[in-house]
Amino acid sequence: NGADPLFRSARVRRALTMAINRQLIIDNLYYGMAEICTSPFIPQLWAYNDKIDPLPYDPEGARRLLAEEGFTDSDGDGWLDRGGKRFEFEIMTNQGNQIRNDIQVMVQEQLGKIGVKADPLILEWTVMLERHKASDFQAVISAWRVGTKVDLEPIWGCESRKPGGYNRVDYCNPEVDRLNATACGILDFDEALSLI
């Protein structure tokens, strides 16, 4: 959740991604039948950019980025902290979905190896959904069903951060909004693709 002070920095979010072995999750929980996400578009859509490489699994690089953001183990307890506060957060998901629960455990273990404490929070579906809708979470393991229309606004647009909108991770980039609006108005796929 980008609105949470812990996750406002893109470098912190990048470090956490680099500390999670996403391929291991895919291999162990999805039997290799998934892909690491590198785009807000799924590979089956014309707007998907297959030239974007996924961030590497690099725990040492993640530690360096977090150190640059001021997170160190100042008291020697094995957990990173900044300003006397431990780097700790909840990862929320719903009960009844074993894969999501297993992802929580794997992420908790992997982040723990770099000194980040991730606490699994498993909630009944409707309770989790209400908290998700209200952006009342730090991190969440969930999923979106996507249509085939290429339009980032409903989930990533600045205006969609308002109450009732679907931008529940608080992402806002006016330049992305401008490019998305322009691309949505172009009928030629190749021309629109050059903007995305």
Side-chain angles (χ1 to χ4, degrees):
N1 186 347
D4 188 294
L6 196 55
F7 305 120
R8 283 197 183 127
S9 166
R11 291 165 58 85
V12 167
R13 297 190 306 270
R14 175 180 286 267
L16 295 176
T17 300
M18 291 167 59
I20 298 170
N21 188 338
R22 292 159 291 147
Q23 191 61 53
L24 184 66
I25 291 170
I26 288 169
D27 292 344
N28 287 344
L29 301 181
Y30 291 95
Y31 303 100
M33 302 298 290
E35 294 180 40
I36 294 174
C37 181
T38 60
S39 167
F41 303 115
I42 60 174
Q44 292 79 12
L45 293 180
W46 64 268
Y48 177 74
N49 184 347
D50 63 0
K51 293 172 183 59
I52 299 173
D53 292 325
L55 287 175
Y57 170 57
D58 182 3
E60 288 306 315
R63 281 189 192 96
R64 282 191 301 277
L65 282 175
L66 291 175
E68 291 169 10
E69 289 290 312
F71 290 100
T72 61
D73 183 5
S74 65
D75 56 8
D77 68 352
W79 301 108
L80 298 179
D81 57 81
R82 181 173 66 184
K85 186 168 180 175
R86 180 185 291 169
F87 194 144
E88 181 174 8
F89 64 94
E90 289 181 340
I91 303 176
M92 176 179 79
T93 197
N94 60 290
Q95 68 184 21
N97 188 311
Q98 192 59 52
I99 289 179
R100 291 179 188 170
N101 299 161
D102 291 343
I103 290 171
Q104 279 180 315
V105 171
M106 291 181 78
V107 168
Q108 178 186 37
E109 177 187 1
Q110 292 170 14
L111 292 180
K113 290 178 180 176
I114 66 161
V116 174
K117 189 162 184 348
D119 302 316
L121 175 63
I122 300 173
L123 300 172
E124 189 272 328
W125 170 253
T126 57
V127 174
M128 188 212 71
L129 189 58
E130 286 306 311
R131 285 190 58 179
H132 195 196
K133 285 179 182 178
S135 291
D136 179 20
F137 64 92
Q138 290 184 284
V140 64
I141 298 170
S142 190
W144 287 107
R145 290 185 185 162
V146 295
T148 56
K149 181 179 179 191
V150 174
D151 182 1
L152 296 173
E153 197 283 325
I155 296 176
W156 299 99
C158 295
E159 285 297 310
S160 295
R161 294 183 310 160
K162 62 187 175 207
Y166 287 104
N167 184 348
R168 298 176 187 151
V169 296
D170 200 51
Y171 180 82
C172 179
N173 184 326
E175 180 65 5
V176 170
D177 284 359
R178 185 187 71 72
L179 291 171
N180 180 66
T182 303
C184 285
I186 296 173
L187 297 178
D188 180 87
F189 285 170
D190 291 330
E191 185 182 347
L193 190 58
S194 71
L195 296 173
I196 296 177

